[in-house]
Amino acid sequence: MNLTLRVWRQSGPSDAGRMVTYKVEDVSPDMSFLEMLDVLNERLIVEGDDPIAFDHDCREGICGMCGMVINGVAHGEQRATTTCQLHMRHFEDGAEITIEPWRAAPFPVVKDLVVDRSAFDRIIQAGGFVSVPAGSAPDAHSVPVRKEDADAAFDAATCIGCGACVAACPNGSASLFTAAKITHLSLLPQGQPERLSRAKAMVDQMDSEGFGGCTNTGECTAVCPKGIPLDTIAQMNSDYLKANAK
Amino acid sequence: MKFTEGPEIRDTKAPEGPVEERWEKRKFGAKLVNPANKRKLNVIVIGTGLAGGSAAATLGELGYNVKSFCYQDTPRRAHSIAAQGGINAAKNYRGDGDSIYRLFYDTVKGGDFRARESNVYRLAQVSVNIIDQAVAQGVPFAREYGGLLDTRSFGGAQVSRTFYARGQTGQQLLLGAYQALERQIAAGTVQMHTRHEMLDLIVADGRARGVIVRDMVTGEIERHLADAVVLASGGYGNVFFLSTNAKGCNTTAIWRAHERGAYFANPCYTQIHPTCIPVSGEYQSKLTLMSESLRNDGRVWVPLRKNDERAPGDIPEEERDYYLERIYPSFGNLVPRDIASRAAKNVCDEGRGVGPGGLGVYLDFRDAINRLGRDAVEKKYGNLFEMYERITGENPYDVPMRIYPAVHYTMGGLWVDYDLQSTIPGLFVIGEANFSDHGANRLGASALMQGLADGYFVLPTTIGDYLAAGPFGDVDDEAVAQAEIRVRDKIDRLLAVNGTRTPDSFHRELGKLMWDYCGMERTEESLRKALERIPELRAEFWQNVKVSGTAEELNQVLEKAGRVADFFDLAELMCLDALVRSESCGGHFRAESQDADGEALRDDEHFAHVSAWEHGGEDGPVLHKETLEYEYVKMTQRSYK
Ligand SMILES: Cc1cc2nc3c(=O)[nH]c(=O)nc-3n(C[C@H](O)[C@H](O)[C@H](O)COP(=O)(O)OP(=O)(O)OC[C@H]3O[C@@H](n4cnc5c(N)ncnc54)[C@H](O)[C@@H]3O)c2cc1C
Ligand code: SF4
Ligand code: FES
């Protein structure tokens, strides 16, 4: 396949940035999207150009490090798929593909397609945990957990912290990410003691990081590679209201 | 490559007495640090995977002043996140005959009698606490309808002791450790440095006292000082270029510590995982593992006939060879990894492999789907099937998966004693980065167990014993300056070459060479060839590598070049170690040392030892042996027939 890429290039936070066009030839349909970029980068290096910087690590859809807006859609058009798991067989020969970084004020661009998502860590710091120091835990079977609860908690816990939800949201809201963690822990007996204080602290931190409010557009869950459902946000709001009513 | 032999290592600091009492004894004997002093003691932890994340969090909880580093943008992305199948623990919740002793026994045997009994016993003991800790943190393990934890079987064991969270056990355990770590960051006991790469170790007055790191965003070279340094930087499987490891996994942290004096143990022990998605083309950047848990229900086969080009569905039952079930009737598809991998290689070498290039075997779920129903299979393995389909474009519910072995894990690593301390006082090494518990072959679901055992339970106790003598005062300026100069020099040299080949192109070539000559099967001839080729390729690297950009910015080419440079040096030591160890054991298969059936043949008379290599500079490395003694598990040739 032969492709035309239009890629966002920005040398650093103070650079205004611009789209640059590249031609890539002989792309195999079995390549992953990142492998296609690898091939381009190898060429750029040899030609003495600056290769395109992008984040990635596991290339298995689990670490959450990769993320690009491809043809206007966070992680590309294929649903429930991270950028690294996207394969070229889903593109047409001769296609033109635009590639941009996550765009959201709380995720400033570091370079090219690399953004700073440390705001997510600070939301977790605010309360996304169970306070249980190593060595203090009771036997794992001392508290049975209903299978339905364990499964639902797991589904929420699969969030990989990639930030696609924020990039897709017209308001730049981090509600889906925050709600996923709140829901995971509030569904389990172990998460109950800190349930309301956790919801309050995390939501307040999310707001103070400058993420926008949720207006239920559902764009987040549509691009989420792990299919985190929108009803986690309802769960978060309910816990948050209860916490504030206290 | 030249090498010399130095004095044996005799003291591993393991307490004497019955094996079940040793850890208790050590804990009681370890000096305690006065709580008021802990704030004054600084500890650096490199890595935020299961080992480093749990260690940094726990040291913070204990009140130490911790600095934690990782190369990703957040600690939650460490390679541990990718572990799929599960974590072992001797809970015996099923009453199927499991016990601490059995887990200990299975691990020593599975490691082909090349691990230390004292360490392995402790690991089995601590395993039960890990599950308790993880559940209390809210790790959503799989459960049964009664609300209790579910388990499954893994290779090399006949009991069901593997706890799991669908196919994402590593992710869930790591998020547990990450959340504990973030809690300590919020509490101010841990200072987190993301996108920072350790490039050297500071050793002053014979003690590890800090690290030199590069801020990967600004390029700034920083010095961080401490009373002790913990390396939890993971394994070095990426020396083969293609592996199941995350792209950033590297040997730099442990290799540079090795250059500063830490011995490197058993570098040649590599695990090749039997069930990975085969290579599809030249551009391939990494390989994807299909969890070993699939072997619980999938059956491995190849056509009986050579070069059989028929579609798998057209090959009748009697023309299929379920070779694992045939050769190993009692373990069948669940034989340990090294055995399953080599068996796959053998059938492919015979010309019976399937898929492009004949480098693949089938992993077939037809019978499981008929027996359990498609829904049940989907519940158990749905996400893995999806992953497979995404990568290959084939649907494993309809056609069998194609799999082939790939590099997955490195049992070798920095040598540590019972306290997990390296040969440099004050330098501790945990998780995959050390060599400690798996001998010559790691059993499935035991790496997560080891990383968390080290980080939550073992290191926090043993490091206290060392730190009780601290704080160790000011660090010699000269030692710090030296380390910094070395780092800057290396970066300048890499940038100055300005040749015509990318770091990745060298890495690919090195990886291919290692796979061909030091991979699943090694011979004296192949290893000698590798030892000739590696220095040539390294010389070319230093004359012809092209690193674009500058040192003062985010520069992924420069990061890569530094890692590849270290892989060259490590690769050479791996081949030397493999050459010197002329026996076969576990994942190290020397073709010269096999029995009549083609199984690995150990040579306990000459090789029942750990090979710990001291960096020797110009005169080549120095080999120190640590003799292994088996008081509890009788040394036998492993048999899974
Ligand atoms: C695909 C896959 C599946 C697996 N499945 C299982 C399983 O089911 N069960 C099981 O028991 N094991 C499994 N394993 C093995 C297991 O995941 C690893 O051995 C284990 O997670 C390693 O943990 P660690 O903490 O030692 O290192 P890692 O998780 O690799 O963490 C290394 C850390 O060090 C940091 N780092 C590295 N170098 C530097 C440097 N120079 N400077 C600064 N920071 C650095 C990284 O940023 C990272 O934070 C699997 C492995 C793979 C590849
Ligand atoms: S909720 Fe989904 S899109 Fe958002 S960070 Fe988590 S995995 Fe990514
Ligand atoms: S690189 Fe890890 S999720 Fe894409």
Side-chain angles (χ1 to χ4, degrees):
Chain A
M1 305 160 74
N2 296 326
L3 303 167
T4 306
L5 307 183
R6 297 186 57 240
V7 185
W8 182 258
R9 301 304 309 262
Q10 180 177 345
S11 63
S14 55
D15 179 15
R18 71 215 67 87
M19 298 300 280
V20 177
T21 303
Y22 300 95
K23 297 253 180 237
V24 213
E25 277 151 25
D26 288 330
V27 173
S28 152
D30 285 329
M31 276 182 186
S32 72
F33 197 82
L34 298 186
E35 283 168 345
M36 183 271 296
L37 287 179
D38 288 345
V39 170
L40 170 60
N41 273 345
E42 289 288 282
R43 194 185 83 203
L44 294 180
I45 298 169
V46 172
E47 289 169 357
D49 283 340
D50 200 19
I52 301 158
F54 60 89
D55 266 333
H56 65 100
D57 203 22
C58 73
R59 296 201 176 192
E60 289 191 4
I62 192 72
C63 75
M65 188 126 175
C66 66
M68 304 170 187
V69 177
I70 301 168
N71 290 336
V73 183
H75 287 309
E77 266 158 68
Q78 203 188 5
R79 290 188 82 114
T81 304
T82 55
T83 302
C84 61
Q85 290 293 84
L86 184 60
H87 281 70
M88 297 315 294
R89 65 179 75 93
H90 301 292
F91 293 87
E92 306 268 312
D93 186 18
E96 188 178 301
I97 306 174
T98 61
I99 309 175
E100 295 165 89
W102 286 172
R103 298 207 187 270
F107 288 170
V109 170
V110 176
K111 184 178 178 181
D112 297 340
L113 306 172
V114 176
V115 299
D116 177 353
R117 287 168 286 192
S118 54
F120 271 10
D121 287 333
R122 291 188 293 273
I123 292 174
I124 300 295
Q125 274 162 37
F129 45 75
V130 175
S131 300
V132 46
S136 61
D139 183 84
H141 269 180
S142 58
V143 187
V145 179
R146 289 194 328 144
K147 181 170 167 54
E148 302 78 43
D149 292 343
D151 287 350
F154 175 88
D155 287 338
T158 56
C159 163
I160 58 175
C162 62
C165 45
V166 176
C169 178
N171 311 325
S173 170
S175 288
L176 196 65
F177 166 79
T178 310
K181 186 48 59 192
I182 288 175
T183 304
H184 157 213
L185 295 174
S186 68
L187 282 169
L188 294 171
Q190 290 80 7
Q192 295 314 311
E194 295 165 294
R195 178 170 176 172
L196 299 187
S197 58
R198 170 186 310 119
K200 176 155 175 41
M202 290 178 72
V203 171
D204 288 347
Q205 183 66 35
M206 170 177 90
D207 292 343
S208 73
E209 292 288 346
F211 291 104
C214 171
T215 53
N216 264 313
T217 64
E219 300 287 340
C220 51
T221 182
V223 298
C224 173
K226 298 297 142 176
I228 303 292
L230 212 51
D231 56 19
T232 55
I233 298 182
Q235 170 88 50
M236 169 174 83
N237 289 339
S238 144
D239 281 2
Y240 184 70
L241 286 176
K242 276 189 213 147
N244 279 332
K246 263 197 155 177
Chain B
M1 189 185 187
K2 293 182 297 191
F3 76 98
T4 56
E5 212 171 311
E8 269 194 45
I9 301 173
R10 292 193 192 279
D11 186 11
T12 66
K13 298 229 188 79
E16 312 259 296
V19 75
E20 6 6 299
E21 290 169 19
R22 289 179 197 162
W23 180 226
E24 217 30 67
K25 250 186 172 163
R26 182 69 193 107
K27 280 196 281 186
F28 186 71
K31 289 187 221 78
L32 294 177
V33 182
N34 172 339
N37 270 346
K38 283 187 182 149
R39 283 299 300 156
K40 294 181 210 142
L41 289 161
N42 299 305
V43 183
I44 285 171
V45 182
I46 302 295
T48 58
L50 286 174
S54 60
T58 307
L59 293 172
E61 287 162 6
L62 290 171
Y64 294 108
N65 201 14
V66 182
K67 279 187 185 177
S68 163
F69 296 82
C70 69
Y71 68 73
Q72 294 91 346
D73 65 329
T74 147
R76 66 182 287 158
R77 307 210 201 282
H79 165 61
S80 296
I81 201 93
Q84 302 172 351
I87 177 166
N88 288 328
K91 281 284 197 186
N92 192 29
Y93 280 157
R94 301 217 158 232
D96 58 358
D98 199 12
S99 62
I100 289 172
Y101 199 88
R102 187 176 297 279
L103 175 53
F104 158 67
Y105 176 93
D106 286 349
T107 308
V108 170
K109 178 184 168 199
D112 216 0
F113 301 91
R114 292 294 175 261
R116 256 186 227 148
E117 280 191 333
S118 304
N119 285 56
V120 176
Y121 197 90
R122 173 177 66 191
L123 177 65
Q125 280 173 310
V126 169
S127 70
V128 298
N129 306 115
I130 297 172
I131 303 302
D132 299 342
Q133 182 64 28
V135 165
Q137 289 171 340
V139 170
F141 284 120
R143 297 205 174 239
E144 299 186 316
Y145 284 100
L148 301 181
L149 294 166
D150 193 11
T151 52
R152 56 187 171 201
S153 313
F154 248 57
Q158 287 168 311
V159 293
S160 179
R161 64 158 76 97
T162 305
F163 296 80
Y164 67 100
R166 225 164 289 170
Q168 282 147 254
T169 318
Q171 179 196 29
Q172 295 307 317
L173 289 168
L174 184 63
L175 292 180
Y178 158 73
Q179 287 164 204
L181 178 63
E182 292 297 335
R183 177 170 166 256
Q184 291 310 305
I185 295 171
T189 59
V190 179
Q191 208 186 85
M192 186 68 224
H193 300 264
T194 60
R195 294 200 200 267
H196 276 69
E197 185 167 28
M198 168 181 162
L199 294 179
D200 217 323
L201 179 75
I202 298 168
V203 182
D205 299 323
R207 292 180 193 272
R209 292 304 307 274
V211 292
I212 305 286
V213 299
R214 178 169 178 273
D215 178 331
M216 294 158 76
V217 174
T218 63
E220 197 175 326
I221 304 294
E222 304 170 355
R223 32 174 90 180
H224 294 268
L225 305 178
D227 296 289
V229 176
V230 181
L231 297 185
S233 54
Y236 51 86
N238 275 352
V239 65
F240 291 88
F241 187 78
L242 287 180
S243 84
T244 61
N245 291 5
K247 288 294 287 175
C249 292
N250 65 88
T251 190
T252 293
I254 58 172
W255 188 260
R256 308 248 170 127
H258 173 60
E259 289 179 337
R260 300 282 84 73
Y263 292 4
F264 206 122
N266 303 330
C268 81
Y269 289 170
T270 330
Q271 179 163 81
I272 316 269
H273 195 290
T275 53
C276 302
I277 300 178
V279 175
S280 74
E282 283 291 314
Y283 47 81
Q284 190 94 25
S285 62
K286 77 155 279 171
L287 294 169
T288 302
L289 175 87
M290 288 284 102
S291 169
E292 164 159 322
S293 61
L294 292 168
R295 286 199 275 144
N296 269 305
D297 289 302
R299 298 178 68 196
V300 176
W301 65 276
V302 290
L304 266 178
R305 272 205 337 247
K306 282 184 193 180
N307 308 321
D308 193 333
E309 306 247 301
R310 286 175 293 178
D314 296 339
I315 302 179
E317 204 53 28
E318 59 283 4
E319 292 177 44
R320 300 176 172 197
D321 181 11
Y322 294 92
Y323 58 90
L324 289 177
E325 297 168 30
R326 173 174 56 82
I327 310 173
Y328 307 99
S330 69
F331 277 70
N333 292 295
L334 286 175
V335 290
R337 293 180 173 170
D338 52 334
I339 291 179
S341 290
R342 219 166 40 250
K345 178 181 190 303
N346 290 342
V347 293
C348 292
D349 287 352
E350 287 164 21
R352 299 196 287 142
V354 297
L359 291 177
V361 301
Y362 290 125
L363 178 63
D364 198 336
F365 291 86
R366 185 196 60 188
D367 295 351
I369 291 171
N370 289 341
R371 191 177 71 245
L372 308 166
R374 190 185 150 127
D375 279 0
V377 170
E378 186 171 344
K379 274 222 175 70
K380 265 178 143 164
Y381 306 116
N383 66 326
L384 296 170
F385 277 40
E386 234 178 84
M387 193 196 276
Y388 181 85
E389 183 170 5
R390 210 164 274 154
I391 294 173
T392 61
E394 289 173 8
N395 179 352
Y397 293 103
D398 301 334
V399 274
M401 286 184 178
R402 281 178 298 110
I403 53 162
Y404 197 65
V407 172
H408 177 56
Y409 182 88
T410 47
M411 280 75 68
L414 292 187
W415 185 90
V416 287
D417 62 16
Y418 187 72
D419 285 352
L420 305 179
Q421 186 164 209
S422 73
T423 48
I424 302 176
L427 179 70
F428 292 77
V429 191
I430 60 177
E432 193 174 336
N434 74 22
F435 89 110
S436 68
D437 296 350
H438 308 293
N441 174 53
R442 173 176 71 76
L443 291 181
S446 285
L448 303 186
M449 168 172 75
Q450 183 225 331
L452 290 178
D454 289 358
Y456 282 132
F457 300 108
V458 179
L459 176 90
T461 304
T462 58
I463 202 172
D465 186 69
Y466 176 79
L467 289 171
F472 298 110
D474 291 343
V475 184
D476 175 28
D477 267 347
E478 189 49 33
V480 183
Q482 289 280 331
E484 200 176 310
I485 289 171
R486 276 194 306 266
V487 166
R488 288 186 189 281
D489 264 7
K490 196 152 190 168
I491 291 174
D492 291 346
R493 275 169 63 210
L494 287 167
L495 283 164
V497 178
N498 199 17
T500 62
R501 276 184 72 180
T502 64
D504 250 11
S505 84
F506 281 105
H507 191 185
R508 237 176 239 283
E509 191 173 345
L510 174 68
K512 171 119 186 15
L513 207 149
M514 289 298 284
W515 179 248
D516 289 345
Y517 298 142
C518 191
M520 263 189 284
E521 187 174 302
R522 300 149 174 193
T523 63
E524 178 170 348
E525 195 195 335
S526 75
L527 293 164
R528 287 197 188 282
K529 218 180 267 168
L531 284 168
E532 211 178 282
R533 275 298 291 142
I534 294 167
E536 290 168 5
L537 193 60
R538 176 175 44 210
E540 192 195 332
F541 173 84
W542 282 106
Q543 277 154 21
N544 196 22
V545 73
K546 169 99 186 175
V547 180
S548 48
T550 68
E552 290 79 33
E553 59 179 332
L554 190 153
N555 186 340
Q556 294 173 322
V557 188
L558 176 63
E559 290 159 22
K560 186 67 203 264
R563 294 174 192 165
V564 175
D566 293 331
F567 277 136
F568 273 115
D569 296 345
L570 167 69
E572 203 176 12
L573 187 67
M574 287 171 74
C575 292
L576 176 66
D577 186 47
L579 181 65
V580 172
R581 188 172 285 276
S582 58
E583 67 161 352
S584 296
C585 59
H588 169 63
F589 188 77
R590 281 288 300 264
E592 300 91 341
S593 181
Q594 50 182 307
D595 67 13
D597 295 333
E599 302 292 342
L601 194 62
R602 286 200 325 264
D603 175 357
D604 293 333
E605 199 190 320
H606 299 101
F607 290 103
H609 61 246
V610 175
S611 300
W613 296 91
E614 179 184 354
H615 190 72
E618 302 293 288
D619 302 326
V622 185
L623 173 62
H624 301 268
K625 294 176 182 165
E626 175 200 326
T627 301
L628 292 165
E629 273 154 37
Y630 293 87
E631 292 171 64
Y632 293 88
V633 187
K634 211 173 114 244
M635 287 177 108
T636 49
Q637 283 295 335
R638 281 188 314 172
S639 167
Y640 291 91
K641 296 193 165 157

Short mmCIF file of all heavy atoms in Angstrom, two decimals, chain A residues 34 55-67 75 82-85 160 162 225-226, chain B residues 77 81 246-247, ligand 3:
data_model
loop_
_atom_site.label_atom_id
_atom_site.label_comp_id
_atom_site.label_asym_id
_atom_site.label_seq_id
_atom_site.Cartn_x
_atom_site.Cartn_y
_atom_site.Cartn_z
N LEU A 34 1.78 1.57 14.32
CA LEU A 34 3.06 2.08 14.85
C LEU A 34 4.24 1.53 14.05
O LEU A 34 5.25 2.22 13.88
CB LEU A 34 3.20 1.75 16.34
CG LEU A 34 2.16 2.36 17.26
CD1 LEU A 34 2.50 2.10 18.73
CD2 LEU A 34 2.02 3.87 17.04
N ASP A 55 4.61 8.36 21.86
CA ASP A 55 4.71 7.48 23.03
C ASP A 55 4.18 6.09 22.71
O ASP A 55 3.17 5.94 22.00
CB ASP A 55 3.86 8.04 24.18
CG ASP A 55 4.65 8.92 25.13
OD1 ASP A 55 5.88 8.71 25.24
OD2 ASP A 55 4.05 9.80 25.77
N HIS A 56 4.82 5.08 23.25
CA HIS A 56 4.37 3.70 23.06
C HIS A 56 5.24 2.86 23.98
O HIS A 56 6.32 3.28 24.36
CB HIS A 56 4.61 3.24 21.62
CG HIS A 56 6.07 3.19 21.28
ND1 HIS A 56 6.78 2.02 21.26
CD2 HIS A 56 6.95 4.17 21.02
CE1 HIS A 56 8.05 2.29 20.98
NE2 HIS A 56 8.19 3.58 20.83
N ASP A 57 4.77 1.70 24.38
CA ASP A 57 5.67 0.80 25.11
C ASP A 57 5.26 -0.65 24.90
O ASP A 57 5.95 -1.37 24.19
CB ASP A 57 5.73 1.14 26.60
CG ASP A 57 7.01 0.62 27.26
OD1 ASP A 57 7.99 0.40 26.53
OD2 ASP A 57 7.05 0.44 28.49
N CYS A 58 4.11 -1.07 25.43
CA CYS A 58 3.78 -2.50 25.37
C CYS A 58 3.45 -2.95 23.95
O CYS A 58 3.70 -4.08 23.58
CB CYS A 58 2.61 -2.80 26.28
SG CYS A 58 1.01 -2.20 25.67
N ARG A 59 2.84 -2.08 23.17
CA ARG A 59 2.33 -2.41 21.83
C ARG A 59 1.39 -3.61 21.87
O ARG A 59 1.33 -4.41 20.93
CB ARG A 59 3.47 -2.64 20.84
CG ARG A 59 4.29 -1.37 20.62
CD ARG A 59 5.08 -1.38 19.34
NE ARG A 59 5.76 -0.09 19.14
CZ ARG A 59 6.32 0.29 18.01
NH1 ARG A 59 6.29 -0.53 16.96
NH2 ARG A 59 6.92 1.46 17.90
N GLU A 60 0.70 -3.75 22.98
CA GLU A 60 -0.28 -4.84 23.12
C GLU A 60 -1.62 -4.32 23.59
O GLU A 60 -2.48 -5.09 24.00
CB GLU A 60 0.21 -5.86 24.16
CG GLU A 60 1.37 -6.68 23.70
CD GLU A 60 1.66 -7.86 24.61
OE1 GLU A 60 0.92 -8.09 25.57
OE2 GLU A 60 2.64 -8.54 24.32
N GLY A 61 -1.77 -3.00 23.64
CA GLY A 61 -3.06 -2.46 24.03
C GLY A 61 -3.32 -2.46 25.52
O GLY A 61 -4.47 -2.39 25.94
N ILE A 62 -2.27 -2.54 26.33
CA ILE A 62 -2.55 -2.65 27.76
C ILE A 62 -1.86 -1.59 28.62
O ILE A 62 -2.33 -1.27 29.70
CB ILE A 62 -2.20 -4.10 28.24
CG1 ILE A 62 -2.74 -4.38 29.64
CG2 ILE A 62 -0.71 -4.36 28.21
CD1 ILE A 62 -4.21 -4.55 29.73
N CYS A 63 -0.74 -1.02 28.16
CA CYS A 63 -0.02 -0.09 29.04
C CYS A 63 -0.62 1.30 29.01
O CYS A 63 -0.42 2.10 29.92
CB CYS A 63 1.47 -0.04 28.70
SG CYS A 63 1.87 0.87 27.19
N GLY A 64 -1.35 1.61 27.93
CA GLY A 64 -1.99 2.93 27.84
C GLY A 64 -1.06 4.04 27.40
O GLY A 64 -1.42 5.21 27.46
N MET A 65 0.13 3.71 26.96
CA MET A 65 1.09 4.77 26.65
C MET A 65 0.85 5.39 25.27
O MET A 65 1.07 6.57 25.07
CB MET A 65 2.51 4.20 26.72
CG MET A 65 3.59 5.25 26.60
SD MET A 65 4.73 5.19 27.97
CE MET A 65 5.93 6.41 27.48
N CYS A 66 0.41 4.59 24.30
CA CYS A 66 0.24 5.13 22.96
C CYS A 66 -1.05 5.93 22.86
O CYS A 66 -1.94 5.77 23.69
CB CYS A 66 0.21 4.01 21.92
SG CYS A 66 -1.22 2.92 22.10
N GLY A 67 -1.18 6.73 21.87
CA GLY A 67 -2.41 7.46 21.67
C GLY A 67 -2.23 8.57 20.65
O GLY A 67 -1.35 9.42 20.81
N HIS A 75 -7.43 7.25 18.83
CA HIS A 75 -7.05 5.85 18.57
C HIS A 75 -7.57 5.34 17.21
O HIS A 75 -7.50 4.14 16.94
CB HIS A 75 -7.56 4.89 19.65
CG HIS A 75 -6.85 4.97 20.97
ND1 HIS A 75 -5.48 4.90 21.10
CD2 HIS A 75 -7.33 5.08 22.24
CE1 HIS A 75 -5.16 4.96 22.40
NE2 HIS A 75 -6.26 5.07 23.11
N THR A 82 -6.62 0.22 20.79
CA THR A 82 -5.62 1.27 20.99
C THR A 82 -4.86 1.50 19.69
O THR A 82 -4.86 0.64 18.80
CB THR A 82 -4.60 0.85 22.06
OG1 THR A 82 -4.05 -0.40 21.65
CG2 THR A 82 -5.23 0.72 23.43
N THR A 83 -4.17 2.62 19.61
CA THR A 83 -3.40 2.93 18.41
C THR A 83 -2.42 1.81 18.06
O THR A 83 -2.28 1.42 16.91
CB THR A 83 -2.63 4.25 18.62
OG1 THR A 83 -3.59 5.27 18.92
CG2 THR A 83 -1.83 4.62 17.40
N CYS A 84 -1.78 1.25 19.08
CA CYS A 84 -0.76 0.21 18.82
C CYS A 84 -1.37 -1.08 18.29
O CYS A 84 -0.67 -1.88 17.68
CB CYS A 84 0.06 -0.07 20.07
SG CYS A 84 -0.93 -0.69 21.45
N GLN A 85 -2.66 -1.29 18.54
CA GLN A 85 -3.30 -2.53 18.09
C GLN A 85 -4.02 -2.36 16.75
O GLN A 85 -4.65 -3.29 16.25
CB GLN A 85 -4.31 -3.00 19.15
CG GLN A 85 -3.65 -3.52 20.40
CD GLN A 85 -2.88 -4.79 20.15
OE1 GLN A 85 -1.74 -4.76 19.73
NE2 GLN A 85 -3.50 -5.92 20.38
N ILE A 160 -7.03 1.79 31.03
CA ILE A 160 -5.57 1.80 30.88
C ILE A 160 -4.98 3.20 31.03
O ILE A 160 -3.79 3.39 30.84
CB ILE A 160 -5.14 1.18 29.53
CG1 ILE A 160 -5.78 1.93 28.35
CG2 ILE A 160 -5.49 -0.30 29.49
CD1 ILE A 160 -5.29 1.45 26.99
N CYS A 162 -5.24 5.88 29.20
CA CYS A 162 -4.63 6.39 27.98
C CYS A 162 -4.98 7.85 27.70
O CYS A 162 -4.22 8.58 27.09
CB CYS A 162 -5.04 5.53 26.79
SG CYS A 162 -6.82 5.54 26.48
N PRO A 225 -10.74 2.41 24.45
CA PRO A 225 -10.29 1.10 23.97
C PRO A 225 -10.74 -0.04 24.87
O PRO A 225 -10.74 -1.19 24.46
CB PRO A 225 -8.76 1.23 23.95
CG PRO A 225 -8.44 2.35 24.85
CD PRO A 225 -9.61 3.29 24.81
N LYS A 226 -11.11 0.26 26.10
CA LYS A 226 -11.53 -0.81 27.02
C LYS A 226 -13.03 -0.81 27.23
O LYS A 226 -13.53 -1.53 28.10
CB LYS A 226 -10.80 -0.66 28.35
CG LYS A 226 -9.29 -0.79 28.23
CD LYS A 226 -8.88 -2.19 27.74
CE LYS A 226 -7.71 -2.08 26.79
NZ LYS A 226 -7.18 -3.36 26.32
N ARG B 77 2.62 2.31 33.87
CA ARG B 77 2.80 1.68 32.57
C ARG B 77 3.95 0.67 32.51
O ARG B 77 4.28 0.18 31.45
CB ARG B 77 3.03 2.73 31.50
CG ARG B 77 1.97 3.82 31.47
CD ARG B 77 1.75 4.40 30.11
NE ARG B 77 1.13 5.71 30.12
CZ ARG B 77 -0.18 5.92 30.31
NH1 ARG B 77 -0.98 4.90 30.51
NH2 ARG B 77 -0.66 7.15 30.29
N ILE B 81 2.55 -4.55 33.54
CA ILE B 81 1.15 -4.34 33.18
C ILE B 81 0.68 -5.38 32.15
O ILE B 81 -0.50 -5.68 32.07
CB ILE B 81 0.97 -2.91 32.62
CG1 ILE B 81 -0.49 -2.45 32.70
CG2 ILE B 81 1.43 -2.77 31.17
CD1 ILE B 81 -0.84 -1.70 33.90
N ALA B 246 7.92 -5.20 26.53
CA ALA B 246 7.57 -3.87 26.04
C ALA B 246 8.79 -3.29 25.32
O ALA B 246 9.93 -3.66 25.61
CB ALA B 246 7.17 -2.97 27.20
N LYS B 247 8.53 -2.36 24.39
CA LYS B 247 9.61 -1.87 23.55
C LYS B 247 10.74 -1.21 24.36
O LYS B 247 11.89 -1.25 23.97
CB LYS B 247 9.05 -0.85 22.54
CG LYS B 247 8.22 -1.45 21.44
CD LYS B 247 9.01 -2.34 20.52
CE LYS B 247 9.92 -1.54 19.59
NZ LYS B 247 10.77 -2.47 18.78
S1 FES C 3 1.69 0.87 23.46
FE1 FES C 3 0.80 0.08 25.27
S2 FES C 3 -1.32 0.41 24.91
FE2 FES C 3 -0.43 0.97 23.04
#
